[in-house]
Amino acid sequence: MKITVIGAGAIGGNLAVKLSAAGHDVQVADARGPEAVRAEVLESGARAAELADAVQNRDVIVLAIPFGVAGKLADLFASVPAETVVIDTSNYYPGMLSEPIEAVDNGQVESVWNAEQLGRPVVKAWNAALAETQRTRGLPAGTPGRIAIPVAGDFEEARRVAMRLVDDTGFDAYDAGPLADSWRQQPNSPAYCTELTLDELPAALAAADRAKDARIRDSVPDRFATLPADATLADVVEMNRAAHR
């Protein structure tokens, strides 16, 4: 597929590497320009591109950008065909990684708000796995213990496309239903960054509690402060799991 990843940070870089290694035609664009794309991101065959050019004639566009800035791309996306699948990977951490957004604080689902800002439907995927999990824990399909990633979206075909791409990056894809239900995979729900398998993920999504999960999300700085300076990926995953016990 022809895929553009917008955002050259940890998540965007991981996805560009994985998807190009899987054989897709991948472009990487960043608001800071092509020079912002690290050389190692391009080693698997991805190409750096200007932002305006990178959204034209693509099958899929992956947004690996901070939550709250999608609206700045609305004009750019106005010319993108309706059949192009747009995947949102962002997460809302008010006061930490994002400015507080009243509509989301009042209950609007993160990616529903993002879709409104962008002016087009999105699929929610890859947000519920840590960057280091994405980089190091992918496995071939059928491997026992393979980590699962929830995928939510309102259009079945777009959701299926995103699920196929999740599989290409080394993870089992779970159909998490419509975008309105994607709050169940937002920070810091039981399904969020806890490295669950396809068998374990449905129960974790069902156990999500919006008020409780938001409190856990807001306690992230305090909980991170209890970790050792040399905390591992396993330490962070265990911290996330322990918050729901």
Side-chain angles (χ1 to χ4, degrees):
M1 302 187 78
K2 296 177 182 178
I3 301 171
T4 287
V5 178
I6 298 180
I11 299 297
N14 284 339
L15 295 177
V17 168
K18 298 277 189 176
L19 293 170
S20 57
H24 297 288
D25 176 345
V26 178
Q27 293 183 347
V28 189
D30 192 278
R32 298 166 294 175
E35 62 277 4
V37 182
R38 292 169 285 120
E40 57 266 30
V41 172
L42 308 177
E43 291 175 354
S44 295
R47 306 181 308 284
E50 294 286 353
L51 188 57
D53 299 330
V55 298
Q56 301 302 317
N57 302 312
R58 311 303 285 171
D59 300 311
V60 177
I61 300 174
V62 180
L63 298 178
I65 58 178
F67 186 81
V69 304
K72 296 179 180 180
L73 300 178
D75 289 344
L76 185 69
F77 272 79
S79 63
V80 174
E83 61 267 22
T84 301
V85 177
V86 179
I87 302 176
D88 174 28
T89 71
S90 66
N91 289 303
Y92 180 49
Y93 280 92
M96 290 176 271
L97 301 179
S98 308
E99 292 297 319
I101 296 170
E102 184 177 4
V104 180
D105 289 339
N106 288 337
Q108 187 170 25
V109 177
E110 290 176 4
S111 285
V112 172
W113 186 85
N114 258 351
E116 288 185 358
Q117 302 307 303
L118 199 62
R120 62 176 301 124
V122 302
V123 179
K124 184 86 163 186
W126 287 299
N127 76 296
L130 294 161
E132 189 65 5
T133 297
Q134 294 181 31
R135 188 179 73 85
T136 65
R137 300 276 280 140
L139 295 169
T143 303
R146 198 182 196 214
I147 295 168
I149 288 178
V151 177
D154 292 335
F155 297 94
E156 185 175 359
E157 181 53 32
R159 207 162 61 238
R160 286 178 178 174
V161 168
M163 291 176 69
R164 289 197 296 269
L165 295 180
V166 165
D167 182 71
D168 285 345
T169 61
F171 301 91
D172 284 337
Y174 178 78
D175 189 336
L179 199 64
D181 287 344
S182 65
W183 65 270
R184 295 182 179 277
Q185 65 196 70
Q186 291 176 182
N188 268 79
S189 71
Y192 179 79
C193 298
T194 49
E195 294 193 351
L196 304 177
T197 66
L198 202 56
D199 289 338
E200 297 167 327
L201 187 57
L205 290 167
D209 179 310
R210 298 185 80 166
K212 175 185 175 182
D213 297 344
R215 289 194 298 271
I216 294 172
R217 176 201 66 196
D218 294 343
S219 73
V220 162
D222 292 336
R223 290 187 293 116
F224 261 108
T226 68
L227 295 177
D230 58 348
T232 65
L233 172 61
D235 291 330
V236 177
V237 171
E238 173 55 26
M239 178 190 75
N240 290 337
R241 292 178 176 180
H244 296 280
R245 293 193 184 118

